[in-house]
Amino acid sequence: MKQFAIFGNPVEHSISPIIQNSAFKACNFEAEYSKILLEDGKKLKEVFLQNNLSGANITVPHKEVAFDQVDEIRGIAKEIGAINTIVKEDNKLIGYNTDAGGFYESIKEFDKITPIKTALLIGAGGTAKAISLILRDNGIKVTILNRSQPRLDDFIKKEFECYTFKEFDADIQNFDLIINSTSAGLSENILPLELNVLEQIFNTANFAIDCIYSKDGILTPFLKVANMCNIPNKDGTDMLIYQGVLACEYFMNEFNQRECITKAMKESLK
Ligand code: NDP
C-alpha cells in the first residue's frame, strides 16, 4: 500500500489526513495518509525517504525549506519559492505548490457572480506570496497591504503595488475582492486592520475572503465585519479543500476524478 504524509510543526491539528484518506477511499486508491511531526525542516527529504513515502504535503513552517530539498520544482511553485506538495516520480522528488491553485479555485464562485479585476491582499507572509502570483497570472491586479515594511520588500521586487498600514489611504482606491492572509484572528479575537479602515474598504468592495477557516461555525473577526457591511464572503475552508484536491490529483496521478475527490473531501469535514 502506498504511503503519504503531512510534515509540519505543529502537525497535530492538521485535517489533511481526514480529507486525503477519504478521497483515497472514494477513488479506490490503495494508500494511507498520516501525520509526521518534523522539528528540523532540513531533514525533510531524509525522513521522507526513510518512511518510504510516495508523496507528502508540507505545512508551516517547512514550505520554504522543502523547496530546496526536492529534485525538481514544477509550475507556479518556481515563482513562489515554497512548496506544499511532494510526489515521488521515478525515484525523483517533484515539488508543487497547490495553495495558489487552491485559493484561485475557491474564489471562482465569486468571479462567476461579478468578475474580479482588482484585489486588496492584506498580509505579506508565505500565503500572500502564493495568492498574489496566482491572481496576477489570472489577470487580477493585486495591491498588497501589510502591517510592517520588511515582508513587503519581496513583493516590491516582484513589482506589486505595496503599502504599509501607515502609508495606505482607503479613500482613494476601490477593490473588487478583499483578502485577509494575515494570521490576525487565527487564535485571538483581533482584526487584521483597524475597524474603520476595514469598513471603508468593504464599502466599495464586492467580495471578501479570509484564509483562516472558521472553527465550530464561529465567524472570524474579519468576516464578522464583512457581514456587517453586507459583503458576500467566505472563510478558508474551500481554499484548504481545493489545495488538497489538487495535491490528491498529483498523489494519484489521476486528473479525471476531481468531482469525486472534492465531494469526498467536503463530506469528510461535515
Ligand atoms: P506568515 O506567518 O507567513 O505571515 C503572517 C502575516 O500576518 C504577516 O504579513 C504579518 O504581518 C501579518 N500579521 C500577523 N499578525 C498580525 C496582526 N495582529 N495584525 C496585522 N497583521 C498581522 O503566515 P502565513 O502566510 O503562512 O499564513 C497566514 C494565514 O493564512 C494564517 O492564518 C493561516 O492559518 C492561513 N492559511 C490558510 C490556508 C488554507 O488552506 N485555508 C493555507 C495556508 C495558510 P508582519 O509582516 O507585519 O508581521
Side-chain angles (χ1 to χ4, degrees), residues 59-60 63 99 122-129 145-152 165 180-186 188 190-193 210-213 235-241 243:
T59 187
V60 176
K63 291 182 191 184
D99 285 330
I122 311 167
T127 308
K129 276 187 196 167
L145 179 57
N146 199 45
R147 177 174 66 175
S148 59
Q149 180 64 40
R151 286 191 224 236
L152 286 176
F165 289 179
N180 178 30
S181 80
T182 75
S183 41
L186 185 61
E188 286 172 284
I190 48 172
L191 287 169
L193 258 183
D210 199 336
C211 295
I212 299 171
Y213 44 92
D235 70 0
T237 307
D238 281 354
M239 176 184 177
L240 180 81
I241 288 175
Q243 64 75 30

mmCIF file of all heavy atoms in Angstrom, residues 59-60 63 99 122-129 145-152 165 180-186 188 190-193 210-213 235-241 243, ligand 1:
data_model
loop_
_atom_site.group_PDB
_atom_site.id
_atom_site.type_symbol
_atom_site.label_atom_id
_atom_site.label_comp_id
_atom_site.label_asym_id
_atom_site.label_seq_id
_atom_site.Cartn_x
_atom_site.Cartn_y
_atom_site.Cartn_z
ATOM 1 N N THR A 59 3.402 21.607 5.654
ATOM 2 C CA THR A 59 2.742 22.782 6.207
ATOM 3 C C THR A 59 3.731 23.581 7.042
ATOM 4 O O THR A 59 4.935 23.274 7.076
ATOM 5 C CB THR A 59 1.445 22.375 6.965
ATOM 6 O OG1 THR A 59 0.759 23.565 7.337
ATOM 7 C CG2 THR A 59 1.705 21.543 8.217
ATOM 8 N N VAL A 60 3.212 24.628 7.683
ATOM 9 C CA VAL A 60 4.026 25.570 8.465
ATOM 10 C C VAL A 60 4.938 24.812 9.427
ATOM 11 O O VAL A 60 4.471 23.876 10.074
ATOM 12 C CB VAL A 60 3.079 26.488 9.276
ATOM 13 C CG1 VAL A 60 3.851 27.426 10.181
ATOM 14 C CG2 VAL A 60 2.193 27.286 8.325
ATOM 15 N N LYS A 63 7.546 25.027 4.401
ATOM 16 C CA LYS A 63 7.274 25.091 2.958
ATOM 17 C C LYS A 63 8.456 25.637 2.155
ATOM 18 O O LYS A 63 8.670 25.242 1.018
ATOM 19 C CB LYS A 63 6.035 25.954 2.689
ATOM 20 C CG LYS A 63 4.742 25.303 3.174
ATOM 21 C CD LYS A 63 3.529 26.147 2.853
ATOM 22 C CE LYS A 63 2.303 25.617 3.564
ATOM 23 N NZ LYS A 63 1.084 26.327 3.236
ATOM 24 N N ASP A 99 -1.306 25.477 -2.904
ATOM 25 C CA ASP A 99 -2.015 26.522 -2.132
ATOM 26 C C ASP A 99 -2.526 27.603 -3.089
ATOM 27 O O ASP A 99 -3.629 28.127 -2.921
ATOM 28 C CB ASP A 99 -1.069 27.200 -1.127
ATOM 29 C CG ASP A 99 -0.769 26.313 0.075
ATOM 30 O OD1 ASP A 99 -1.630 25.495 0.442
ATOM 31 O OD2 ASP A 99 0.337 26.441 0.641
ATOM 32 N N ILE A 122 -4.418 41.690 2.201
ATOM 33 C CA ILE A 122 -3.881 42.144 3.490
ATOM 34 C C ILE A 122 -2.985 41.034 4.025
ATOM 35 O O ILE A 122 -3.420 39.880 4.166
ATOM 36 C CB ILE A 122 -5.013 42.460 4.498
ATOM 37 C CG1 ILE A 122 -6.076 43.365 3.870
ATOM 38 C CG2 ILE A 122 -4.446 43.095 5.776
ATOM 39 C CD1 ILE A 122 -7.364 43.465 4.685
ATOM 40 N N GLY A 123 -1.714 41.380 4.300
ATOM 41 C CA GLY A 123 -0.740 40.385 4.752
ATOM 42 C C GLY A 123 0.303 40.149 3.675
ATOM 43 O O GLY A 123 0.002 40.276 2.475
ATOM 44 N N ALA A 124 1.524 39.826 4.103
ATOM 45 C CA ALA A 124 2.615 39.639 3.140
ATOM 46 C C ALA A 124 3.477 38.432 3.518
ATOM 47 O O ALA A 124 4.681 38.413 3.262
ATOM 48 C CB ALA A 124 3.457 40.924 3.083
ATOM 49 N N GLY A 125 2.845 37.424 4.109
ATOM 50 C CA GLY A 125 3.579 36.216 4.505
ATOM 51 C C GLY A 125 3.624 35.200 3.369
ATOM 52 O O GLY A 125 3.400 35.539 2.195
ATOM 53 N N GLY A 126 3.904 33.961 3.718
ATOM 54 C CA GLY A 126 4.047 32.899 2.721
ATOM 55 C C GLY A 126 2.773 32.681 1.921
ATOM 56 O O GLY A 126 2.818 32.479 0.692
ATOM 57 N N THR A 127 1.635 32.743 2.584
ATOM 58 C CA THR A 127 0.363 32.521 1.891
ATOM 59 C C THR A 127 0.111 33.644 0.882
ATOM 60 O O THR A 127 -0.357 33.408 -0.233
ATOM 61 C CB THR A 127 -0.785 32.462 2.926
ATOM 62 O OG1 THR A 127 -0.413 31.503 3.907
ATOM 63 C CG2 THR A 127 -2.098 32.069 2.317
ATOM 64 N N ALA A 128 0.439 34.869 1.285
ATOM 65 C CA ALA A 128 0.251 36.023 0.386
ATOM 66 C C ALA A 128 1.107 35.875 -0.872
ATOM 67 O O ALA A 128 0.682 36.265 -1.966
ATOM 68 C CB ALA A 128 0.593 37.310 1.126
ATOM 69 N N LYS A 129 2.301 35.286 -0.733
ATOM 70 C CA LYS A 129 3.169 35.098 -1.911
ATOM 71 C C LYS A 129 2.457 34.238 -2.944
ATOM 72 O O LYS A 129 2.445 34.537 -4.133
ATOM 73 C CB LYS A 129 4.468 34.387 -1.504
ATOM 74 C CG LYS A 129 5.510 35.316 -0.975
ATOM 75 C CD LYS A 129 6.813 34.573 -0.766
ATOM 76 C CE LYS A 129 7.721 35.399 0.123
ATOM 77 N NZ LYS A 129 8.850 34.656 0.631
ATOM 78 N N LEU A 145 -1.179 45.061 1.202
ATOM 79 C CA LEU A 145 -1.218 45.954 2.366
ATOM 80 C C LEU A 145 -0.726 45.161 3.573
ATOM 81 O O LEU A 145 -1.313 44.135 3.916
ATOM 82 C CB LEU A 145 -2.677 46.395 2.564
ATOM 83 C CG LEU A 145 -3.010 47.308 3.734
ATOM 84 C CD1 LEU A 145 -2.203 48.594 3.680
ATOM 85 C CD2 LEU A 145 -4.510 47.645 3.709
ATOM 86 N N ASN A 146 0.385 45.632 4.175
ATOM 87 C CA ASN A 146 0.929 44.883 5.325
ATOM 88 C C ASN A 146 1.225 45.810 6.488
ATOM 89 O O ASN A 146 1.529 46.983 6.315
ATOM 90 C CB ASN A 146 2.211 44.147 4.912
ATOM 91 C CG ASN A 146 2.556 43.035 5.877
ATOM 92 O OD1 ASN A 146 1.683 42.265 6.285
ATOM 93 N ND2 ASN A 146 3.819 42.945 6.281
ATOM 94 N N ARG A 147 1.114 45.238 7.688
ATOM 95 C CA ARG A 147 1.357 45.984 8.926
ATOM 96 C C ARG A 147 2.749 46.627 8.922
ATOM 97 O O ARG A 147 2.906 47.782 9.272
ATOM 98 C CB ARG A 147 1.228 44.978 10.077
ATOM 99 C CG ARG A 147 1.507 45.493 11.433
ATOM 100 C CD ARG A 147 1.208 44.436 12.444
ATOM 101 N NE ARG A 147 2.091 43.268 12.358
ATOM 102 C CZ ARG A 147 2.072 42.261 13.216
ATOM 103 N NH1 ARG A 147 1.233 42.260 14.211
ATOM 104 N NH2 ARG A 147 2.902 41.244 13.081
ATOM 105 N N SER A 148 3.761 45.893 8.503
ATOM 106 C CA SER A 148 5.123 46.437 8.560
ATOM 107 C C SER A 148 5.840 46.264 7.219
ATOM 108 O O SER A 148 5.378 45.523 6.348
ATOM 109 C CB SER A 148 5.900 45.734 9.673
ATOM 110 O OG SER A 148 5.921 44.355 9.410
ATOM 111 N N GLN A 149 6.968 46.951 7.079
ATOM 112 C CA GLN A 149 7.663 47.023 5.788
ATOM 113 C C GLN A 149 8.448 45.759 5.386
ATOM 114 O O GLN A 149 8.362 45.342 4.215
ATOM 115 C CB GLN A 149 8.624 48.234 5.820
ATOM 116 C CG GLN A 149 9.427 48.463 4.551
ATOM 117 C CD GLN A 149 8.561 48.797 3.344
ATOM 118 O OE1 GLN A 149 7.596 49.539 3.445
ATOM 119 N NE2 GLN A 149 8.887 48.215 2.191
ATOM 120 N N PRO A 150 9.220 45.130 6.297
ATOM 121 C CA PRO A 150 10.190 44.127 5.816
ATOM 122 C C PRO A 150 9.635 43.076 4.857
ATOM 123 O O PRO A 150 10.232 42.815 3.802
ATOM 124 C CB PRO A 150 10.702 43.479 7.111
ATOM 125 C CG PRO A 150 10.544 44.544 8.136
ATOM 126 C CD PRO A 150 9.317 45.307 7.752
ATOM 127 N N ARG A 151 8.482 42.497 5.154
ATOM 128 C CA ARG A 151 7.980 41.427 4.270
ATOM 129 C C ARG A 151 7.502 41.968 2.928
ATOM 130 O O ARG A 151 7.294 41.197 1.984
ATOM 131 C CB ARG A 151 6.824 40.693 4.935
ATOM 132 C CG ARG A 151 7.285 39.778 6.049
ATOM 133 C CD ARG A 151 6.112 38.907 6.439
ATOM 134 N NE ARG A 151 5.991 38.809 7.866
ATOM 135 C CZ ARG A 151 5.972 37.670 8.540
ATOM 136 N NH1 ARG A 151 6.085 36.537 7.921
ATOM 137 N NH2 ARG A 151 5.857 37.669 9.832
ATOM 138 N N LEU A 152 7.320 43.295 2.831
ATOM 139 C CA LEU A 152 6.860 43.860 1.557
ATOM 140 C C LEU A 152 7.977 43.903 0.509
ATOM 141 O O LEU A 152 7.699 43.950 -0.695
ATOM 142 C CB LEU A 152 6.298 45.274 1.764
ATOM 143 C CG LEU A 152 4.924 45.362 2.434
ATOM 144 C CD1 LEU A 152 4.530 46.821 2.656
ATOM 145 C CD2 LEU A 152 3.845 44.668 1.588
ATOM 146 N N PHE A 165 0.420 49.818 6.570
ATOM 147 C CA PHE A 165 -0.827 50.405 7.082
ATOM 148 C C PHE A 165 -0.717 51.931 7.155
ATOM 149 O O PHE A 165 -1.663 52.645 6.840
ATOM 150 C CB PHE A 165 -1.155 49.855 8.483
ATOM 151 C CG PHE A 165 -1.587 48.401 8.500
ATOM 152 C CD1 PHE A 165 -1.887 47.777 9.707
ATOM 153 C CD2 PHE A 165 -1.694 47.665 7.332
ATOM 154 C CE1 PHE A 165 -2.288 46.441 9.744
ATOM 155 C CE2 PHE A 165 -2.086 46.333 7.348
ATOM 156 C CZ PHE A 165 -2.388 45.718 8.560
ATOM 157 N N ASN A 180 -8.024 38.505 3.529
ATOM 158 C CA ASN A 180 -7.196 38.506 4.743
ATOM 159 C C ASN A 180 -6.267 37.309 4.690
ATOM 160 O O ASN A 180 -6.691 36.167 4.842
ATOM 161 C CB ASN A 180 -8.052 38.433 6.011
ATOM 162 C CG ASN A 180 -7.177 38.386 7.260
ATOM 163 O OD1 ASN A 180 -6.060 38.938 7.265
ATOM 164 N ND2 ASN A 180 -7.638 37.735 8.313
ATOM 165 N N SER A 181 -4.967 37.572 4.480
ATOM 166 C CA SER A 181 -3.990 36.471 4.525
ATOM 167 C C SER A 181 -3.047 36.659 5.713
ATOM 168 O O SER A 181 -1.962 36.103 5.733
ATOM 169 C CB SER A 181 -3.204 36.383 3.218
ATOM 170 O OG SER A 181 -2.182 37.353 3.191
ATOM 171 N N THR A 182 -3.467 37.475 6.688
ATOM 172 C CA THR A 182 -2.653 37.598 7.907
ATOM 173 C C THR A 182 -3.087 36.490 8.871
ATOM 174 O O THR A 182 -4.082 35.805 8.637
ATOM 175 C CB THR A 182 -2.866 38.959 8.618
ATOM 176 O OG1 THR A 182 -4.133 38.928 9.290
ATOM 177 C CG2 THR A 182 -2.810 40.128 7.658
ATOM 178 N N SER A 183 -2.339 36.365 9.963
ATOM 179 C CA SER A 183 -2.758 35.380 10.973
ATOM 180 C C SER A 183 -3.600 36.052 12.060
ATOM 181 O O SER A 183 -3.940 35.409 13.056
ATOM 182 C CB SER A 183 -1.542 34.656 11.549
ATOM 183 O OG SER A 183 -0.496 35.556 11.755
ATOM 184 N N ALA A 184 -3.937 37.344 11.864
ATOM 185 C CA ALA A 184 -4.772 38.036 12.848
ATOM 186 C C ALA A 184 -6.183 37.447 12.826
ATOM 187 O O ALA A 184 -6.835 37.433 11.788
ATOM 188 C CB ALA A 184 -4.827 39.533 12.542
ATOM 189 N N GLY A 185 -6.628 36.952 13.982
ATOM 190 C CA GLY A 185 -7.945 36.324 14.055
ATOM 191 C C GLY A 185 -7.857 34.813 14.136
ATOM 192 O O GLY A 185 -8.845 34.128 14.361
ATOM 193 N N LEU A 186 -6.634 34.296 13.968
ATOM 194 C CA LEU A 186 -6.453 32.833 13.981
ATOM 195 C C LEU A 186 -6.695 32.263 15.379
ATOM 196 O O LEU A 186 -7.456 31.317 15.545
ATOM 197 C CB LEU A 186 -5.025 32.508 13.507
ATOM 198 C CG LEU A 186 -4.640 31.051 13.322
ATOM 199 C CD1 LEU A 186 -5.525 30.387 12.277
ATOM 200 C CD2 LEU A 186 -3.182 30.927 12.908
ATOM 201 N N GLU A 188 -6.689 34.661 18.257
ATOM 202 C CA GLU A 188 -7.205 35.727 19.120
ATOM 203 C C GLU A 188 -8.314 36.462 18.378
ATOM 204 O O GLU A 188 -8.340 36.460 17.144
ATOM 205 C CB GLU A 188 -6.098 36.747 19.421
ATOM 206 C CG GLU A 188 -5.058 36.254 20.393
ATOM 207 C CD GLU A 188 -3.920 37.252 20.452
ATOM 208 O OE1 GLU A 188 -3.123 37.273 19.508
ATOM 209 O OE2 GLU A 188 -3.856 38.022 21.409
ATOM 210 N N ILE A 190 -8.912 39.264 17.058
ATOM 211 C CA ILE A 190 -8.427 40.574 16.594
ATOM 212 C C ILE A 190 -8.585 40.711 15.083
ATOM 213 O O ILE A 190 -8.556 39.736 14.339
ATOM 214 C CB ILE A 190 -6.945 40.841 16.977
ATOM 215 C CG1 ILE A 190 -6.060 39.625 16.629
ATOM 216 C CG2 ILE A 190 -6.789 41.238 18.424
ATOM 217 C CD1 ILE A 190 -4.575 39.895 16.789
ATOM 218 N N LEU A 191 -8.711 41.976 14.651
ATOM 219 C CA LEU A 191 -8.857 42.270 13.224
ATOM 220 C C LEU A 191 -7.478 42.495 12.602
ATOM 221 O O LEU A 191 -6.561 42.966 13.270
ATOM 222 C CB LEU A 191 -9.691 43.548 13.047
ATOM 223 C CG LEU A 191 -11.179 43.441 13.332
ATOM 224 C CD1 LEU A 191 -11.811 44.826 13.376
ATOM 225 C CD2 LEU A 191 -11.855 42.571 12.265
ATOM 226 N N PRO A 192 -7.343 42.221 11.297
ATOM 227 C CA PRO A 192 -6.049 42.460 10.650
ATOM 228 C C PRO A 192 -5.769 43.937 10.426
ATOM 229 O O PRO A 192 -4.625 44.335 10.185
ATOM 230 C CB PRO A 192 -6.191 41.721 9.318
ATOM 231 C CG PRO A 192 -7.644 41.638 9.065
ATOM 232 C CD PRO A 192 -8.313 41.574 10.403
ATOM 233 N N LEU A 193 -6.826 44.762 10.475
ATOM 234 C CA LEU A 193 -6.719 46.208 10.206
ATOM 235 C C LEU A 193 -7.643 46.930 11.161
ATOM 236 O O LEU A 193 -8.601 46.331 11.653
ATOM 237 C CB LEU A 193 -7.290 46.482 8.812
ATOM 238 C CG LEU A 193 -6.414 46.698 7.610
ATOM 239 C CD1 LEU A 193 -7.289 47.025 6.410
ATOM 240 C CD2 LEU A 193 -5.410 47.796 7.822
ATOM 241 N N ASP A 210 -11.448 35.226 3.888
ATOM 242 C CA ASP A 210 -10.447 35.083 4.942
ATOM 243 C C ASP A 210 -9.760 33.743 4.735
ATOM 244 O O ASP A 210 -10.435 32.722 4.564
ATOM 245 C CB ASP A 210 -11.158 35.107 6.322
ATOM 246 C CG ASP A 210 -10.194 35.435 7.449
ATOM 247 O OD1 ASP A 210 -8.981 35.198 7.266
ATOM 248 O OD2 ASP A 210 -10.652 35.934 8.495
ATOM 249 N N CYS A 211 -8.424 33.733 4.732
ATOM 250 C CA CYS A 211 -7.715 32.448 4.565
ATOM 251 C C CYS A 211 -7.871 31.577 5.812
ATOM 252 O O CYS A 211 -7.713 30.359 5.755
ATOM 253 C CB CYS A 211 -6.233 32.689 4.290
ATOM 254 S SG CYS A 211 -5.957 33.511 2.731
ATOM 255 N N ILE A 212 -8.183 32.204 6.925
ATOM 256 C CA ILE A 212 -8.398 31.442 8.168
ATOM 257 C C ILE A 212 -9.732 30.731 8.067
ATOM 258 O O ILE A 212 -10.691 31.306 7.551
ATOM 259 C CB ILE A 212 -8.415 32.403 9.381
ATOM 260 C CG1 ILE A 212 -7.067 33.120 9.491
ATOM 261 C CG2 ILE A 212 -8.757 31.659 10.679
ATOM 262 C CD1 ILE A 212 -7.038 34.239 10.519
ATOM 263 N N TYR A 213 -9.800 29.481 8.527
ATOM 264 C CA TYR A 213 -11.113 28.835 8.480
ATOM 265 C C TYR A 213 -11.797 28.876 9.837
ATOM 266 O O TYR A 213 -11.158 28.781 10.884
ATOM 267 C CB TYR A 213 -11.085 27.428 7.868
ATOM 268 C CG TYR A 213 -9.988 26.511 8.286
ATOM 269 C CD1 TYR A 213 -10.159 25.643 9.353
ATOM 270 C CD2 TYR A 213 -8.783 26.489 7.597
ATOM 271 C CE1 TYR A 213 -9.148 24.777 9.733
ATOM 272 C CE2 TYR A 213 -7.773 25.633 7.972
ATOM 273 C CZ TYR A 213 -7.963 24.783 9.035
ATOM 274 O OH TYR A 213 -6.959 23.947 9.411
ATOM 275 N N ASP A 235 -14.839 31.805 4.302
ATOM 276 C CA ASP A 235 -13.613 31.586 5.068
ATOM 277 C C ASP A 235 -12.648 30.707 4.259
ATOM 278 O O ASP A 235 -12.850 30.492 3.062
ATOM 279 C CB ASP A 235 -13.936 30.989 6.448
ATOM 280 C CG ASP A 235 -14.419 29.553 6.351
ATOM 281 O OD1 ASP A 235 -14.520 29.006 5.237
ATOM 282 O OD2 ASP A 235 -14.685 28.952 7.407
ATOM 283 N N GLY A 236 -11.610 30.194 4.916
ATOM 284 C CA GLY A 236 -10.556 29.466 4.197
ATOM 285 C C GLY A 236 -10.826 27.979 3.995
ATOM 286 O O GLY A 236 -9.932 27.265 3.525
ATOM 287 N N THR A 237 -12.040 27.518 4.306
ATOM 288 C CA THR A 237 -12.294 26.075 4.193
ATOM 289 C C THR A 237 -12.184 25.588 2.741
ATOM 290 O O THR A 237 -11.544 24.565 2.473
ATOM 291 C CB THR A 237 -13.705 25.720 4.744
ATOM 292 O OG1 THR A 237 -13.810 26.260 6.055
ATOM 293 C CG2 THR A 237 -13.924 24.227 4.800
ATOM 294 N N ASP A 238 -12.777 26.327 1.811
ATOM 295 C CA ASP A 238 -12.701 25.888 0.406
ATOM 296 C C ASP A 238 -11.250 25.919 -0.092
ATOM 297 O O ASP A 238 -10.818 25.042 -0.834
ATOM 298 C CB ASP A 238 -13.560 26.789 -0.495
ATOM 299 C CG ASP A 238 -15.034 26.417 -0.396
ATOM 300 O OD1 ASP A 238 -15.354 25.405 0.263
ATOM 301 O OD2 ASP A 238 -15.872 27.143 -0.976
ATOM 302 N N MET A 239 -10.514 26.934 0.333
ATOM 303 C CA MET A 239 -9.102 27.025 -0.067
ATOM 304 C C MET A 239 -8.354 25.776 0.404
ATOM 305 O O MET A 239 -7.586 25.159 -0.337
ATOM 306 C CB MET A 239 -8.502 28.287 0.569
ATOM 307 C CG MET A 239 -7.031 28.462 0.337
ATOM 308 S SD MET A 239 -6.424 29.917 1.213
ATOM 309 C CE MET A 239 -4.681 29.799 0.814
ATOM 310 N N LEU A 240 -8.639 25.399 1.643
ATOM 311 C CA LEU A 240 -8.000 24.213 2.233
ATOM 312 C C LEU A 240 -8.384 22.941 1.469
ATOM 313 O O LEU A 240 -7.541 22.100 1.151
ATOM 314 C CB LEU A 240 -8.445 24.097 3.689
ATOM 315 C CG LEU A 240 -7.878 22.920 4.448
ATOM 316 C CD1 LEU A 240 -6.481 23.249 4.929
ATOM 317 C CD2 LEU A 240 -8.760 22.557 5.626
ATOM 318 N N ILE A 241 -9.670 22.838 1.143
ATOM 319 C CA ILE A 241 -10.126 21.645 0.416
ATOM 320 C C ILE A 241 -9.509 21.616 -0.986
ATOM 321 O O ILE A 241 -8.966 20.593 -1.409
ATOM 322 C CB ILE A 241 -11.667 21.599 0.349
ATOM 323 C CG1 ILE A 241 -12.211 21.252 1.737
ATOM 324 C CG2 ILE A 241 -12.157 20.579 -0.689
ATOM 325 C CD1 ILE A 241 -13.709 21.281 1.869
ATOM 326 N N GLN A 243 -6.774 23.021 -2.188
ATOM 327 C CA GLN A 243 -5.337 22.699 -2.248
ATOM 328 C C GLN A 243 -5.154 21.199 -2.065
ATOM 329 O O GLN A 243 -4.276 20.580 -2.664
ATOM 330 C CB GLN A 243 -4.490 23.534 -1.267
ATOM 331 C CG GLN A 243 -4.744 23.340 0.232
ATOM 332 C CD GLN A 243 -4.175 22.043 0.817
ATOM 333 O OE1 GLN A 243 -3.167 21.533 0.344
ATOM 334 N NE2 GLN A 243 -4.836 21.506 1.842
HETATM 335 P P1 NDP B 1 3.036 34.187 7.928
HETATM 336 O O1 NDP B 1 3.496 33.982 9.327
HETATM 337 O O2 NDP B 1 3.985 33.859 6.804
HETATM 338 O O3 NDP B 1 2.581 35.746 7.727
HETATM 339 C C1 NDP B 1 1.779 36.366 8.655
HETATM 340 C C2 NDP B 1 1.282 37.721 8.121
HETATM 341 O O4 NDP B 1 0.303 38.180 9.047
HETATM 342 C C3 NDP B 1 2.330 38.809 8.020
HETATM 343 O O5 NDP B 1 2.057 39.603 6.898
HETATM 344 C C4 NDP B 1 2.128 39.611 9.328
HETATM 345 O O6 NDP B 1 2.496 40.969 9.221
HETATM 346 C C5 NDP B 1 0.638 39.517 9.457
HETATM 347 N N1 NDP B 1 0.157 39.681 10.835
HETATM 348 C C6 NDP B 1 0.358 38.836 11.877
HETATM 349 N N2 NDP B 1 -0.299 39.293 12.979
HETATM 350 C C7 NDP B 1 -0.928 40.440 12.596
HETATM 351 C C8 NDP B 1 -1.755 41.372 13.286
HETATM 352 N N3 NDP B 1 -2.054 41.231 14.566
HETATM 353 N N4 NDP B 1 -2.239 42.427 12.582
HETATM 354 C C9 NDP B 1 -1.944 42.578 11.285
HETATM 355 N N5 NDP B 1 -1.146 41.739 10.581
HETATM 356 C C10 NDP B 1 -0.650 40.677 11.237
HETATM 357 O O7 NDP B 1 1.690 33.375 7.788
HETATM 358 P P2 NDP B 1 1.130 32.562 6.539
HETATM 359 O O8 NDP B 1 1.161 33.426 5.323
HETATM 360 O O9 NDP B 1 1.775 31.227 6.478
HETATM 361 O O10 NDP B 1 -0.399 32.307 6.968
HETATM 362 C C11 NDP B 1 -1.313 33.380 7.038
HETATM 363 C C12 NDP B 1 -2.701 32.887 7.385
HETATM 364 O O11 NDP B 1 -3.222 32.086 6.323
HETATM 365 C C13 NDP B 1 -2.747 32.029 8.646
HETATM 366 O O12 NDP B 1 -3.838 32.471 9.417
HETATM 367 C C14 NDP B 1 -3.007 30.626 8.131
HETATM 368 O O13 NDP B 1 -3.762 29.873 9.048
HETATM 369 C C15 NDP B 1 -3.791 30.901 6.861
HETATM 370 N N6 NDP B 1 -3.651 29.813 5.867
HETATM 371 C C16 NDP B 1 -4.782 29.181 5.401
HETATM 372 C C17 NDP B 1 -4.698 28.180 4.461
HETATM 373 C C18 NDP B 1 -5.945 27.493 3.995
HETATM 374 O O14 NDP B 1 -5.837 26.476 3.300
HETATM 375 N N7 NDP B 1 -7.131 27.991 4.323
HETATM 376 C C19 NDP B 1 -3.404 27.744 3.890
HETATM 377 C C20 NDP B 1 -2.277 28.488 4.416
HETATM 378 C C21 NDP B 1 -2.412 29.480 5.370
HETATM 379 P P3 NDP B 1 4.007 41.467 9.559
HETATM 380 O O15 NDP B 1 4.813 41.237 8.329
HETATM 381 O O16 NDP B 1 3.847 42.915 9.886
HETATM 382 O O17 NDP B 1 4.486 40.656 10.732
#
